């Protein structure tokens, strides 16, 4: 091969290498720019989704406030009230159209759904922490009955009670700036965290619809509690009687807890006088909201406390997708 041809071939190869290098660099720059746009878009969508679901939670708080203001009988909460009506896959534009002061068409393809639940329709595991031995034993018996009804070994109730007491003691030691006992459990905030006490996932799954962990002990609302909780909290109330009571209470005009006594067997009627364990009203509610927006599915659980006409957020957390 002549020198001139070799030089021409080398120049062509060099040119191809330069073109390849420039193309690679250009593609890398385009990819980096695209990635930056995608990240910025995702962050903006996530921020908008958080803002939207927070607004939906505030709407639910307004419903609870209006309920407290408009209800005929103060301190009575039943399943017939507006707060118990679920919101199912409402398009955000339709949701906002309900506000007469809002005339702007957002054009957002976002869908809201949600539900307000009476937290005091569940058995509050915080009730297990009691300085009075007799009362503590009564609460433990209640939880054991609930576990038996759900097909959970009663020993799980003992484990939960010991864990709650140990966590409460550790929390008091921290508040008093004392040394925490080694191995002391952390105080759980959610039912799913009962696995910290050694419960298996199946037991936690079965308990979740019927128990709750609130900041302080609370009575069970007999007007909203399911039969499983009713038969657990009222000693001697069998499952069949609990289900019949749950049906009859729906159409009852209740003004005081004494109005419920005729619906219950005589042997359990006296237990309705213990206001620390049972009631007909609630102060704590859980708001579960779900937002589907673009590629996001956002679920949030908010625990609120109603005090008079004020609805205070106690805890707000993201719920993992099932």
């Amino acid at each position: 091969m002549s020198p001139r041809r070799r030089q021409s071939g080398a120049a062509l190869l060099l040119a191809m290498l330069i073109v390849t290098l420039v193309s690679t660099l250009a593609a890398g720059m385009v990819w980096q720019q695209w990635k930056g746009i995608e990240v910025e878009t995702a962050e903006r969508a996530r921020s908008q989704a958080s803002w939207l679901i927070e607004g939906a939670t505030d709407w639910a708080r307004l419903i609870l406030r209006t309920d407290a203001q408009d209800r005929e009988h103060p301190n009575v909460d039943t399943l017939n009230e507006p707060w118990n009506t679920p919101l199912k896959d409402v398009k955000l534009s339709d949701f906002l159209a309900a506000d007469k002061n809002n005339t702007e068409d957002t054009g957002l393809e976002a869908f809201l759904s949600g539900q307000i639940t009476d937290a005091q329709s569940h058995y509050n595991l915080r009730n297990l922490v009691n300085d009075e031995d007799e009362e503590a034993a009564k609460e433990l018996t209640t939880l054991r009955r609930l576990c038996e009804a759900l097909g959970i070994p009663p020993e799980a109730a003992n484990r939960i009670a010991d864990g709650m007491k140990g966590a409460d003691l550790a929390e008091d030691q921290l508040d008093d700036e004392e040394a925490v006992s080694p191995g002391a459990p952390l105080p759980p905030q959610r039912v799913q965290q009962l696995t910290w006490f050694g419960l298996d996932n199946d037991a936690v799954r079965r308990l979740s619809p019927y128990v709750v962990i609130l900041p302080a002990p609370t009575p069970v609302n007999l007007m909203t509690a399911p039969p499983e909780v009713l038969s657990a909290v009222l000693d001697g109330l069998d499952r069949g009687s609990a289900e019949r009571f749950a049906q009859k209470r729906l159409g009852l005009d209740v003004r005081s807890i004494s109005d419920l006594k005729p619906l219950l067997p005589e042997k359990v009627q006296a237990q309705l006088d213990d206001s620390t364990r049972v009631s007909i009203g609630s102060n704590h509610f859980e708001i579960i909201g779900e937002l589907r927006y673009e590629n996001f599915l956002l679920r949030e659980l908010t625990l609120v406390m109603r005090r008079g006409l004020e609805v205070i957020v106690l805890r707000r957390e993201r719920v993992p997708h099932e």
Side-chain angles (χ1 to χ4, degrees):
M1 181 180 294
S2 65
R4 179 175 297 179
R5 183 170 295 179
R6 285 199 298 271
Q7 289 178 353
S8 177
L12 180 60
L13 179 61
L14 179 61
M16 292 177 65
L17 288 173
I18 292 174
V19 170
T20 302
L21 179 60
V22 171
S23 299
T24 302
L25 291 174
M29 293 174 62
V30 171
W31 183 84
Q32 288 288 349
Q33 186 177 15
W34 173 83
K35 182 179 178 181
I37 293 173
E38 286 293 305
V39 169
E40 182 181 352
T41 301
E43 287 297 327
R44 184 173 66 251
R46 186 178 295 109
S47 176
Q48 289 176 337
S50 298
W51 176 79
L52 290 170
I53 202 166
E54 184 174 345
T57 300
D58 289 339
W59 181 270
R61 291 170 60 201
L62 178 61
I63 291 174
L64 289 171
R65 182 181 183 276
T66 304
D67 172 69
Q69 189 174 22
D70 296 344
R71 58 185 172 178
E72 185 178 357
H73 305 308
N75 304 320
V76 180
D77 291 290
T78 74
L79 296 175
N80 296 324
E81 294 175 338
W83 59 262
N84 192 44
T85 303
L87 182 69
K88 294 185 178 180
D89 273 348
V90 176
K91 192 173 181 181
L92 183 64
S93 56
D94 297 336
F95 183 77
L96 294 177
D99 183 2
K100 297 180 179 179
N101 296 320
N102 180 41
T103 58
E104 182 180 357
D105 183 8
T106 62
L108 289 174
E109 287 296 322
F111 295 87
L112 283 170
S113 60
Q115 173 74 61
I116 300 174
T117 302
D118 179 4
Q120 289 179 224
S121 67
H122 299 358
Y123 176 71
N124 183 6
L125 297 180
R126 192 75 66 180
N127 294 359
L128 296 165
V129 182
N130 198 307
D131 295 333
E132 299 292 334
D133 292 341
E134 183 178 350
E135 294 301 319
K138 189 183 297 184
E139 297 295 346
L140 176 57
T141 301
T142 296
L143 183 57
R144 287 175 67 89
R145 283 198 294 264
L146 181 58
C147 286
E148 289 176 355
L150 299 176
I152 301 171
E155 293 74 20
N158 297 61
R159 185 170 294 181
I160 295 172
D162 291 341
M164 292 298 295
K165 292 173 184 176
D168 183 72
L169 178 61
E171 202 169 25
D172 288 343
Q173 290 173 337
L174 283 175
D175 292 340
D176 296 336
E177 298 183 353
E178 298 179 10
V180 178
S181 304
L186 294 171
Q189 302 293 320
R190 299 184 289 113
V191 175
Q192 288 72 19
Q193 294 169 342
L194 291 178
T195 52
W196 297 351
F197 299 155
L199 267 71
D200 58 51
N201 291 327
D202 182 64
V204 172
R205 178 185 59 80
R206 295 188 186 192
L207 278 171
S208 293
Y210 306 103
V211 300
V212 69
I213 301 175
L214 299 177
T218 55
V220 169
N221 185 348
L222 299 180
M223 298 299 297
T224 58
E228 293 85 352
V229 176
L230 291 171
S231 57
V233 75
L234 294 175
D235 187 15
L237 184 68
D238 61 81
R239 178 63 181 273
S241 299
E243 290 179 348
R244 288 191 292 274
F245 171 79
Q247 289 296 323
K248 292 178 181 177
R249 71 187 175 187
L250 293 176
L252 193 65
D253 182 21
V254 177
R255 298 173 183 267
S256 71
I257 199 166
S258 298
D259 294 336
L260 299 180
K261 289 184 177 181
L263 304 182
L264 293 166
E266 186 175 354
K267 60 183 178 181
V268 304
Q269 291 180 7
Q271 298 176 49
L272 271 60
D273 298 328
D274 188 350
S275 61
T276 64
R277 306 198 73 238
V278 295
S279 70
I280 54 174
S282 300
N283 297 321
H284 296 83
F285 296 84
E286 287 183 330
I287 303 168
I288 182 73
E290 182 175 289
L291 176 71
R292 289 188 289 112
Y293 174 50
E294 294 186 355
N295 295 326
F296 290 95
L297 176 61
L298 185 63
R299 301 183 77 231
E300 190 170 273
L301 177 66
T302 304
L303 174 66
V304 299
M305 180 178 68
R306 188 170 61 186
R307 186 171 56 193
L309 297 181
E310 188 178 12
V311 181
I312 305 166
V313 174
L314 299 179
R315 185 172 65 242
R316 178 177 285 159
E317 59 186 292
R318 297 287 169 83
V319 180
H321 302 158
E322 298 180 355

